[in-house]
């Protein structure tokens, strides 16, 4: 079939949504690099926002149901095609809701001026038994302990949560319907694979999209390297700027919620569980800090690279900055997450904190979301507002955006409920 003609496609934003969109555009049967140019413009760095700092859980039981099955299936296919097991840590995983009573935390890790604790002594006072030859006991459980924990619903191989903390466990997912990826590795791999097939990645911040009534667009941006104003003519512009979408497409109801997270290298490799915790903290649970008894719910995910990721609740204390480079990391919030982990696991308490970070979750202000599809301006498309399931729904969104561009409509899933035109002014 003859190609309809030249197309100049510009993607704004290099998070998971922009990167998977770039990837699937280059895998679309109608993509012809002789006729179609694709530019991805990213303000700071690929995966420098939430897409590089998320947990990376993917699940068939996520939402929205119109997008999840397609995207979950594509995650599996991408992992098989590109060796995702090695390249981005793809693996099946167990997920559970776990009720815990936290222990007092009597250590205060040192925090360096820049908040980076790497190399600092963060070991706790409740050290595991260390024998005279220096070996650290794994403190394996007794038969009685296993029996007690089984009564609470705990799987036997979830042995890195301190036994005395466990109140109850309910399975939410197993490797049949739940998996995980390392989000930074996955997103950057998608961008690299897209670039191998012809996508040009530009580091620059899009200031404005000007559209003519005939459907031609000019994307104006500030080039990062030269700090100069540049522009690209485009037949198609896909906005995937996550929480910054409003600044690129004014009037789009996408908000932002800051969230902190940490990664910890445990004292030994831990089994493949992602835990949604309900953690009751005793009064004054930190040494030297007065606090009331309270309940918190950090998510704690074991990763295959001998790393555990943990994130806390979101906050609106710092408004969305201009770019991912200017996100403020509140050390005390990161330290809270480290302490919650310490209060529930010896392996995490005595491990090494690797990263303390923050990012902004993109949220659709009118509820639900994400918004995926055409806008009211011909040739301008939107894929944003993926809330807490953007890693799970990235590949499906990218595939559908390639169909919107090359086929004029979504073919692989019915996402009419996510149509941006329903909420755009
Ligand atoms: C703590 C936390 C944990 C999470 N865990 C999970 C999880 O386990 N599983 C899951 O499925 N989801 C998870 N998520 C959600 C997921 O991270 C997001 O939904 C997803 O990353 C959003 O991707 P995005 O590409 O839309 O946005 P972003 O990752 O924010 O990317 C947007 C990009 O656009 C760029 N940009 C912005 N403005 C401009 C401009 N003017 N010009 C050029 N570029 C621009 C930014 O620099 C940025 O790189 C989590 C989120 C958080 C905060």
């Amino acid at each position: 079939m003859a190609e309809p003609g030249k197309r100049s496609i510009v993607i704004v934003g290099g998070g998971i949504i922009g990167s998977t969109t770039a990837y699937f555009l280059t895998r679309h049967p109608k993509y012809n690099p002789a006729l179609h140019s694709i530019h991805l413009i990213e303000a700071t760095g690929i995966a420098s926002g939430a897409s590089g700092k998320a947990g990376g859980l993917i699940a068939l039981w996520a939402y929205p149901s119109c997008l999840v099955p397609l995207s979950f299936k594509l995650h599996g296919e991408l992992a098989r095609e590109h060796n995702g097991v090695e390249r981005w840590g793809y693996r099946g995983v167990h997920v559970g809701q776990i009720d815990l009573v936290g222990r007092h935390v009597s250590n205060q890790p040192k925090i360096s001026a820049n908040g980076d604790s790497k190399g600092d002594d963060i070991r706790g006072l409740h050290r595991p038994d260390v024998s005279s030859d220096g070996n650290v006991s794994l403190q394996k459980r007794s038969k009685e302990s296993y029996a007690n924990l089984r009564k609470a619903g705990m799987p036997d191989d979830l042995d890195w949560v301190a036994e005395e903390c466990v109140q109850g466990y309910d399975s939410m997912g197993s490797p049949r319907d739940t998996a995980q990826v390392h989000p930074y590795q996955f997103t950057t791999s998608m961008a690299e694979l897209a670039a191998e097939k012809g996508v040009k990645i530009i580091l620059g911040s899009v200031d404005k999209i000007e559209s003519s009534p005939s459907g031609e667009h000019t994307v104006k941006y500030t080039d990062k390297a030269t700090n100069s104003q540049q522009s690209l003519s485009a037949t198609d512009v896909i906005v995937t700027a996550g929480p910054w979408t409003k600044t690129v497409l004014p009037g789009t109801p996408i908000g932002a919620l800051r969230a902190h997270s940490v990664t910890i290298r445990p004292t030994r490799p831990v089994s493949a569980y992602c835990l949604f915790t309900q953690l009751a903290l005793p009064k004054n649970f930190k040494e030297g800090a007065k606090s009331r008894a309270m309940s918190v719910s950090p998510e704690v995910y074991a990763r295959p690279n001998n790393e555990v990721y943990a994130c806390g609740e979101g906050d609106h204390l710092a408004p969305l900055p201009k770019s991912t480079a200017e996100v403020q990391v509140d050390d005390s919030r990161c330290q809270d997450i480290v302490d919650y982990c310490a209060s529930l696991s010896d392996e995490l308490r005595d491990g090494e904190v690797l990263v303390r970070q923050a990012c902004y979750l993109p949220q659709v202000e009118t509820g639900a979301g994400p918004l995926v599809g055409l806008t009211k301006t011909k040739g301008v498309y939107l894929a944003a507002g993926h809330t807490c399931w953007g890693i799970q729904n990235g590949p499906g969104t990218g595939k559908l955006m390639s169909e919107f561009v090359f086929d004029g409509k979504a073919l692989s899933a019915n996402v009419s409920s996510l149509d941006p035109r329903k909420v755009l002014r």
Side-chain angles (χ1 to χ4, degrees):
M1 238 175 69
E3 290 296 325
K6 287 199 166 193
R7 308 268 294 258
S8 165
I9 303 161
V10 176
I11 303 164
V12 181
I16 191 167
I17 305 303
S19 299
T20 50
T21 297
Y23 173 91
F24 280 103
L25 281 168
T26 62
R27 268 62 181 180
H28 192 283
K30 291 180 184 161
Y31 170 61
N32 176 352
L35 286 174
H36 306 135
S37 73
I38 306 173
H39 289 90
L40 190 168
I41 308 180
E42 160 54 41
T44 309
I46 298 293
S48 56
S51 300
K53 298 180 169 72
L57 190 64
I58 58 181
L60 265 177
W61 41 271
Y63 59 82
S65 56
C66 60
L67 183 54
V68 165
L70 170 69
S71 207
F72 188 80
K73 177 173 82 88
L74 290 173
H75 262 297
E77 289 174 7
L78 288 167
R80 280 189 289 281
E81 189 177 343
H82 300 293
N83 191 15
V85 172
E86 292 293 322
R87 195 163 174 176
W88 55 75
Y90 177 86
R91 70 170 177 183
V93 73
H94 291 276
V95 178
Q97 165 73 46
I98 188 164
D99 286 335
L100 300 156
V101 173
R103 302 169 300 183
H104 280 94
V105 175
S106 51
N107 63 305
Q108 286 300 309
K110 279 192 285 178
I111 305 168
S112 60
N114 63 5
D116 179 1
S117 69
K118 208 168 178 170
D120 286 349
D121 177 12
I122 50 98
R123 277 154 202 278
L125 299 178
H126 300 292
R127 292 170 195 277
D129 297 339
V130 181
S131 64
S132 54
D133 60 5
N135 289 333
V136 180
S137 159
L138 293 186
Q139 302 175 321
K140 288 222 174 76
R141 290 171 178 151
S142 65
K143 276 187 189 158
E144 292 74 31
S145 312
Y146 278 121
N148 284 337
L149 288 167
R150 269 185 220 133
K151 269 190 221 148
M154 278 281 277
D156 282 357
D157 60 342
L158 177 47
D159 58 358
W160 46 276
V161 175
E163 162 181 357
E164 65 269 32
C165 298
V166 178
Q167 302 292 298
Y169 179 94
D170 278 316
S171 174
M172 294 169 68
S174 75
R176 281 193 308 279
D177 58 11
T178 313
Q180 67 182 152
V181 298
H182 190 296
Y184 180 81
Q185 293 168 357
F186 178 78
T187 303
T188 51
S189 296
M190 286 293 104
E192 281 161 22
L193 290 163
E196 283 169 18
K197 295 275 184 191
V199 172
K200 292 191 182 60
I201 297 174
I202 297 175
L203 285 186
S205 183
V206 170
D207 304 311
K208 206 171 188 190
I209 302 165
E210 288 176 354
S211 303
S212 75
S214 57
E216 284 145 11
H217 312 284
T218 306
V219 180
K220 298 195 164 173
Y221 67 96
T222 306
D223 186 87
K224 194 178 176 209
T226 60
N227 200 26
S228 59
Q229 304 296 307
Q230 305 286 338
S231 65
L232 276 174
S233 297
T235 51
D236 306 87
V237 184
I238 308 162
V239 179
T240 59
W244 287 273
T245 297
K246 232 183 224 176
T247 64
V248 182
L249 275 188
T252 312
I254 306 277
L257 178 72
R258 185 174 69 161
H260 287 80
S261 55
V262 301
T263 63
I264 300 174
R265 171 146 304 138
T267 50
R268 63 176 174 93
V270 294
S271 50
Y273 281 85
C274 294
L275 302 176
F276 286 57
T277 72
Q278 197 60 48
L279 175 63
L281 295 174
K283 202 173 163 213
N284 301 331
F285 102 105
K286 280 193 211 190
E287 195 176 70
K290 284 216 164 82
S291 65
R292 58 188 168 79
M294 59 177 181
S295 184
V296 293
S297 45
E299 292 174 23
V300 184
Y301 298 176
R303 283 178 170 168
N305 58 344
N306 195 21
E307 181 180 291
V308 173
Y309 170 94
C311 65
E313 277 118 36
D315 71 82
H316 286 292
L317 299 174
L320 183 72
K322 247 185 110 194
S323 75
T324 57
E326 292 165 47
V327 172
Q328 282 176 39
V329 180
D330 181 338
D331 282 334
S332 68
R333 289 198 160 246
C334 290
Q335 188 57 46
D336 282 346
I337 302 170
V338 170
D339 290 336
Y340 301 157
C341 291
S343 81
L344 64 87
S345 164
D346 294 350
E347 286 76 2
L348 299 182
R349 182 194 63 203
D350 300 323
E352 181 188 5
V353 181
L354 302 172
V355 174
R356 299 163 188 264
Q357 60 192 4
C359 62
Y360 284 80
L361 185 78
Q363 293 179 309
V364 180
E365 286 162 346
T366 49
L371 302 176
V372 176
L374 311 172
T375 68
K376 291 179 176 170
T377 307
K378 187 173 176 280
V380 177
Y381 311 79
L382 175 63
H386 285 70
T387 64
C388 59
W389 286 115
I391 306 302
Q392 146 62 37
N393 290 323
T397 302
K399 171 109 177 151
L400 292 168
M401 294 319 291
S402 77
E403 295 172 352
F404 278 115
V405 171
F406 282 124
D407 303 306
K409 57 183 178 192
L411 301 177
S412 298
N414 180 353
V415 286
S416 53
S417 60
L418 311 180
D419 191 336
R421 292 170 297 184
K422 290 184 177 167
V423 295
L424 287 174
R425 277 182 255 133

